[in-house]
Amino acid sequence: MSFFPVIIYFFFATSKQISMGTVAVVSLMTAGVISSQTSLWREENGIDEAAMANNLTAEWRAEEIAFKISIAASISFISGLAQVGMGVLRFGFVTTYMGDAMVSGFTTGAAVHVFTSQVKYVFGIDVPRFPNLFQIINTYVRVFRELPNTNLPTLLLSVICMIVLYIVKVYVNQRYKTKLKMPVPIELAVVVVSTLASHYGNFKDRWSIKVVGEIPAGKFQPSPALRRLRNRLCDNRGIVAFSPVSISSAVLMVGKKHHYDIDSNKTQSPPMQPFLLA
């Protein structure tokens, strides 16, 4: 489904370089809404303690996945309505007030949040999601407490992947970019190689390295749960990320570099993006 946002943007938007895809910041915002709504759903069904102990039955796990999908679909629908409304009202004028300092601050803050969200996976430890204020501080406090439980094979694999990514991106793609017809897709290569190594090396059973698991084939039919979000629209933080993410990269970077005008009312991400990220 990630194929469709790019096609939609190609026909309707005005930036010549930007390519819409998954954005980590929107992923985190969408996940925050899903996490809070899932906690409420567990309490309503009396499975909160079982979920915390990771003792849910297969039926309840399937129900929970379907519920999360419905919340993601709801966020996408609400985001789409908000974007259509802002486009009709020509609300893109707010990008005029997005100065370099604001964009730099947004980019730095986003990088901190994204980095923080990945720390637990690098060390192979369990760190719960902390909502509301002091999220980053509480996360790092928990990370330092869990460091003695670090999964060393997971840490070693993470470090190897990061070293390979850094070497190829800096010392190959950057240094020889004039000679290469296209950059080496090292990110894709790392994913493919590590996935094959994990599968055939049986990393999960041998070293307790967490894996994604079985990915079901085919399409699913999302059913939005709008009634759950009608009184909690303030939680739909995913919709506020579109303008800074797309405008900052398109207008303030690429547009200025290539000296062409961009219609800020047509530079938003496709409405389905939060659903894809979830």
Side-chain angles (χ1 to χ4, degrees):
M1 290 182 67
S2 294
F3 175 79
F4 295 101
V6 182
I7 295 297
I8 294 173
Y9 189 86
F10 174 79
F11 284 107
F12 292 99
T14 53
S15 176
K16 300 178 181 179
Q17 277 81 20
I18 190 171
S19 176
M20 288 300 167
T22 54
V23 180
V25 178
V26 181
S27 298
L28 293 175
M29 291 181 173
T30 306
V33 181
I34 295 175
S35 177
S36 62
Q37 293 297 321
T38 302
S39 297
L40 294 175
W41 178 81
R42 288 175 176 175
E43 294 178 0
E44 293 173 359
N45 290 277
I47 60 172
D48 188 48
E49 295 183 359
M52 294 294 293
N54 198 25
N55 291 326
L56 289 179
T57 62
E59 291 78 11
W60 276 116
R61 291 185 185 278
E63 288 286 338
E64 182 175 309
I65 292 175
F67 176 79
K68 290 180 177 179
I69 293 174
S70 68
I71 295 298
S74 301
I75 298 173
S76 300
F77 182 75
I78 295 174
S79 300
L81 291 180
Q83 286 184 265
V84 171
M86 288 188 290
V88 172
L89 297 175
R90 313 300 293 174
F91 205 72
F93 74 90
V94 297
T95 58
T96 305
Y97 304 100
M98 292 183 182
D100 293 339
M102 181 269 180
V103 175
S104 298
F106 174 82
T107 305
T108 303
V112 172
H113 278 277
V114 173
F115 177 83
T116 302
S117 68
Q118 301 302 308
V119 170
K120 62 181 179 181
Y121 301 113
V122 173
F123 291 96
I125 55 180
D126 293 324
V127 178
R129 177 181 295 275
F130 295 95
N132 304 323
L133 298 176
F134 306 109
Q135 178 183 14
I136 293 181
I137 296 176
N138 291 329
T139 299
Y140 279 109
V141 169
R142 185 61 177 267
V143 166
F144 285 118
R145 289 179 179 177
E146 294 290 333
L147 281 181
N149 300 323
T150 297
N151 186 298
L152 294 180
T154 299
L155 178 60
L156 179 61
L157 181 62
S158 301
V159 171
I160 292 175
C161 291
M162 287 187 285
I163 292 176
V164 172
L165 287 170
Y166 179 80
I167 291 176
V168 175
K169 291 177 72 71
V170 175
Y171 293 100
V172 177
N173 288 346
Q174 287 293 330
R175 180 171 295 184
Y176 302 102
K177 61 182 178 181
T178 57
K179 299 180 180 179
L180 295 174
K181 293 184 178 180
M182 61 173 291
V184 178
I186 186 59
E187 296 89 348
L188 177 62
V190 166
V191 171
V192 172
V193 173
S194 59
T195 300
L196 292 175
S198 174
H199 176 71
Y200 291 104
N202 198 17
F203 288 0
K204 179 181 179 181
D205 296 331
R206 183 177 298 179
W207 294 306
S208 299
I209 295 179
K210 294 183 179 180
V211 297
V212 176
E214 181 182 357
I215 300 177
K219 300 179 181 180
F220 50 84
Q221 297 182 356
S223 55
L226 298 177
R227 59 183 179 81
R228 299 191 62 90
L229 298 177
R230 63 176 182 268
N231 295 325
R232 301 179 63 86
L233 292 181
C234 59
D235 283 347
N236 292 292
R237 291 163 289 181
I239 62 178
V240 304
F242 294 110
S243 182
V245 169
S246 57
I247 294 297
S248 63
S249 59
V251 175
L252 299 180
M253 295 172 59
V254 184
K256 288 183 178 180
K257 179 180 179 180
H258 296 276
H259 306 288
Y260 64 84
D261 296 329
I262 295 179
D263 186 351
S264 56
N265 290 301
K266 297 181 179 180
T267 316
Q268 306 303 311
S269 307
M272 65 187 73
Q273 190 183 34
F275 179 57
L276 299 176
L277 298 175

